Structure formats: C-alpha cells, structure tokens
Amino acid sequence: MNTVHYDVIVIGAGFAGLTAARELSHAGRRVLVLEARDRIGGRTWLDERMGMDLELGGTWVHWTQPHVWAELARYGIGLAPSPEPQNASWWNGSEIVHGSPDELFELLDQPNELLTARAREVFPRPFAPLESPLLSAFDSVSLLDEIEMLPIREDQRSLLESFWTLNFNGRLDDAAFTQALRWVALTNGDWKINFEACATYKIAGGTRALADAIWADSVADIVLGADVRSVVTTDSNVTVRTSAGASYDAAEVVLAVPLQTVDRVAVEPAFPPAVSDAVERGQLGLGTKIWFTIDGEHPPFVALGAADWPLNFLQSEYVHGGKTFVIGFGRDATAIDPADTGAVQDALTRLLPGLTVVESNGHDWVADVYARETWPMHRTGFLTSSLAELQRPHGHVRLAGSDLADGWGGFIDGAIESGLKVARSILTTSHLAAAQTAH
C-alpha cells in the first residue's frame, strides 16, 4: 500500500479539528482529516430520535462566546431559543417544592453570588487563565469544600450543590473551584448570564449546520471511519496508522480528540509525564444527557433535584404531536440507561409526580470509546499542573480540543478557540522553519 503524504493530518472531526483543518487548508497546506466515526461533529450530534431532530451532545451557544459567535456571523447562521420556563420544581433537601422560575433562581442567587464573588479577581483576563497571579493559591481548592463553607441555609446548600453538579455533569468530589470561577469570569462575574449561556440559545439548524458550514469552507481531505491507533515521529516526518492498517504521512499532526481518549493512540516519542498524567487523571464530565417524552403538551418547565439523583435537572424543550420533549441531566452515566423508560419514569416521578414517560433516548458518551466523557470539566490542579503542557507542541504533534481551551472550556466555543490556536501555531512554526532554511 502506498503511503499518502500531507502537510498536516488532523485526527478528529469535532469543532476543534474542523476549525484547524479549515484554517490550515485556507493557508495553502495540504490537510487530511481522519475521523473514527461515520460523521463529523465530535461530541455534538444532531440526530433523529423519537420523531424529531435532537441534540444528543453539546447544544447551546451565546454571544458572550466570541469564537462561536464569529463563526455564526461568518456563515449567516442564527439562533433558536429554548422556551422560557413558566414553572419550576426543586428539592429543598426534604421535599419537592413547586413554584416559579424566579423563586428558584432567587434561592440560588445569594449562594452563587457568594461562591463566585472573586471570579474576576482570580481571573481578571478569563481568556488568559494561566496568567492569573492568584492561580496557584486557588487551583488546588475544591469546589465542594467552598460550597460547604458558605454561610447559607441548608436548603440553599442542597440546591447549590445540585446546580454545580449539573454544570460539571459529574461528581464534585474533586471538582476545581477554579473551573467554576473561570466560567463565571467569562460572563463578567455574573452567574445568571453564565447560566443563560449554558442552556438558552441553540444554533438554528442545530450544531450540524455549523459543523457542515465549517467543513464546506475547507479544502481538506477527509476519511471517515478511520480509527487512528498510532502516531510515530521519525526525523521530520510523522506516520499515522489506523486500526484498518491504512498509513498516512505528514509533516505535522493535530490530535483533536477528547482528553480521555488520547491514550487510545500510541504516540512515539511518548508524551511527557505531565500529559500522560493529565490523561490518566481525566475530566469530571462523566454524566448523562437523556431525552424523553411525556404524555401531553405541558407549559415549559425546569426542575432541579438532589445532586446524587440519577437525573438531577430537567428542562422541557419542545411540544410536538401531543407530547412534551424533555432533557434530563445526571452526574453518573452508569446510574441510568437512556433506553430504560422505566428508570427514566422513576427519575421523573421523584421530581414531577403524576407525569407519564412515553419513550426515552440518548447517547452514552462515557461508554463511547471515541469520547469517554461528556463536556470537559477540570479537577483540582488541572490549570497549574496540566494545561500549559497540554497546549504546547510535542515535537510535530499538537493536541487540540475543548478540554484545552483557555476560555470556554467545555463548550463549542472552546473547541473552536483551540482549533484556531493550534492552526496558528503550526503556520507560525512552519513560517519560521521556512525562513531559517532560506537563510
């Protein structure tokens, strides 16, 4: 088999990989994208389920996110707002309370204001987190410990813990306080705007519309179903091999895959210990996102349960065909099967008794070998011990992805930011090499 030669091989066709491929191909580089799945989009996936196109992964965007907002403007793609909730239910630590969304947010307001009061102080320039003079003092601090120390009522503490369990889509045992502060600093220290950014505005046409637009704007080649298993650097050449035995050569490689899947690829020379340690330690986004329908067309609602419930947050999204479509999130993907309608019914009844689940669906990103995580949320010490090493070039191999973003880590915006920066790094380095060769 003849080996095909490229200037750059991008491994992974999520938003980081697609962005990097577009930028590099626009700059005249011959680029190949190798994607293990049979589709582009990575941990975003608009797919038809239960009779509707539903976002199974990353979904929401916001104008406080500069990179994704610029892409939407570039391609003339608009927004599709989620419905504004009319009703709210929540667990106060001993019973379910029903009220208005304003009442629920009022209960969360003071605790979140106290918790995130120093967000802009710790991250005065939130897109340059490693330049914070307070980073070393805060990065080892546990978010759960900070919540425990707040002078608030126990019902508010229960709500606050569940709220941040939702944000992390995982357990808070080793959650970094700096991750919470980074998120809120990105919306100028306002936790309410931050929450709006997390779950209010979708992309018109779905995430697929933006992924397709970025890819259509590229002149890179792509191979789908290409499960890369090794990346070997010899002198100035990098050889990439897939599980099917295909081989490709390039001068540079971008490994744009979720952090917890980096160890699926045998990289030679091996990454330094700081990288392998970060991969082994992993991220905290190990939860679930489940879509289900309930019988009847109900006014929009939100519901927040206890942090350790299989589904601790519910948000109704669509009304169609006599049914209401609801999104549920939980911290542990192993605690509930998206296809187990009975288990989903039990989880719903805990929060909203009297409603009937018709069907349920979803995708287990944690069990997915090409993801192994949902959205990336950092453990304590990640910024000080891992981020800089993950971001720097390792010979002719660079990592990219939302896990590595300086700004909106865990969002589409962060993936696009990382793809832009890694492409610029390659172009700058190759320009310097060309100049040195010329002299």
Side-chain angles (χ1 to χ4, degrees):
M1 181 183 297
N2 293 328
T3 299
V4 181
H5 297 269
Y6 287 88
D7 296 318
V8 184
I9 293 175
V10 177
I11 301 168
F15 277 98
L18 292 174
T19 302
R22 181 194 63 194
E23 298 299 300
L24 291 163
S25 65
H26 279 191
R29 302 300 187 271
R30 188 180 186 197
V31 180
L32 171 67
V33 177
L34 298 176
E35 168 55 51
R37 306 179 191 278
D38 62 358
R39 60 173 181 83
I40 64 173
R43 281 173 285 177
T44 66
W45 186 15
L46 182 71
D47 196 40
E48 184 179 347
R49 302 289 174 98
M50 303 185 297
M52 287 194 69
D53 281 346
L54 302 175
E55 295 283 9
L56 303 180
T59 302
W60 291 280
V61 297
H62 198 264
W63 49 86
T64 55
Q65 299 169 343
H67 301 94
V68 72
W69 197 251
E71 298 295 338
L72 295 175
R74 181 199 299 248
Y75 299 115
I77 300 173
L79 297 179
S82 291
E84 185 174 344
Q86 298 178 20
N87 302 307
S89 302
W90 60 92
W91 175 253
N92 68 2
S94 58
E95 63 180 351
I96 295 293
V97 178
H98 303 287
S100 70
D102 286 344
E103 289 176 283
L104 174 57
F105 281 97
E106 182 64 29
L107 287 169
L108 285 165
D109 190 35
Q110 181 206 15
N112 266 315
E113 291 286 351
L114 290 171
L115 181 69
T116 63
R118 301 186 70 180
R120 288 303 309 278
E121 179 188 358
V122 177
F123 295 109
R125 295 176 55 208
F127 281 92
L130 299 184
E131 295 179 14
S132 167
L134 297 176
L135 184 59
S136 59
F138 279 83
D139 199 35
S140 62
V141 176
S142 158
L143 173 60
L144 198 56
D145 287 346
E146 287 295 309
I147 292 174
E148 287 298 320
M149 291 189 293
L150 292 177
I152 56 178
R153 301 193 312 266
E154 287 308 307
D155 63 326
Q156 292 176 302
R157 199 181 319 279
S158 175
L159 282 172
L160 189 64
E161 182 179 338
S162 187
F163 176 79
W164 282 101
T165 295
L166 164 68
N167 290 339
F168 272 74
N169 199 222
R171 302 177 65 93
L172 300 184
D173 303 52
D174 192 28
F177 184 37
T178 49
Q179 178 75 352
L181 295 180
R182 283 178 73 198
W183 268 26
V184 176
L186 287 160
T187 50
N188 204 32
D190 189 331
W191 79 269
K192 291 178 182 176
I193 298 299
N194 188 266
F195 188 59
E196 178 182 274
C198 291
T200 304
Y201 296 100
K202 305 184 295 292
I203 299 171
T207 52
R208 182 196 299 153
L210 181 56
D212 285 347
I214 294 173
W215 178 246
D217 196 17
S218 171
V219 290
D221 296 334
I222 191 168
V223 179
L224 298 176
D227 184 10
V228 172
R229 302 314 300 268
S230 72
V231 174
V232 179
T233 301
T234 57
D235 298 327
S236 61
N237 185 69
V238 187
T239 299
V240 175
R241 292 187 175 86
T242 71
S243 59
S247 178
Y248 306 89
D249 276 6
E252 305 282 346
V253 167
V254 176
L255 187 55
V257 300
L259 183 65
Q260 296 195 176
T261 68
V262 169
D263 61 358
R264 293 188 72 253
V265 181
V267 177
E268 298 179 20
F271 288 127
V275 171
S276 55
D277 289 349
V279 174
E280 182 178 1
R281 197 174 180 214
Q283 303 278 29
L284 289 166
L286 302 175
T288 191
K289 175 184 181 180
I290 295 176
W291 281 96
F292 61 93
T293 60
I294 54 177
D295 189 36
E297 299 188 354
H298 301 271
F301 63 81
V302 293
L304 187 63
D308 61 352
W309 289 1
L311 295 178
N312 74 304
F313 181 79
L314 307 177
Q315 174 173 307
S316 61
E317 193 67 25
Y318 306 111
V319 171
H320 177 72
K323 296 180 289 187
T324 301
F325 286 69
V326 183
I327 306 171
F329 290 95
R331 72 178 189 178
D332 182 357
T334 66
I336 187 167
D337 180 354
D340 187 343
T341 304
V344 175
Q345 177 69 67
D346 291 343
L348 173 66
T349 300
R350 275 188 166 188
L351 264 171
L352 296 169
L355 299 178
T356 302
V357 174
V358 179
E359 53 191 336
S360 61
N361 214 306
H363 181 71
D364 188 345
W365 295 99
V366 179
D368 183 332
V369 295
Y370 304 131
R372 292 181 177 169
E373 61 182 49
T374 56
W375 60 88
M377 298 298 284
H378 302 159
R379 298 178 184 272
T380 55
F382 178 87
L383 295 179
T384 48
S385 64
S386 304
L387 185 58
E389 192 68 17
L390 290 167
Q391 290 178 337
R392 77 171 185 84
H394 300 283
H396 296 279
V397 180
R398 291 166 172 82
L399 295 165
S402 185
D403 301 71
L404 280 62
D406 282 318
W408 285 93
F411 290 81
I412 296 169
D413 190 84
I416 294 170
E417 174 210 313
S418 179
L420 289 169
K421 287 181 175 178
V422 77
R424 176 53 51 193
S425 172
I426 289 172
L427 293 172
T428 302
T429 302
S430 60
H431 287 161
L432 290 174
Q436 290 169 354
T437 301
H439 287 86

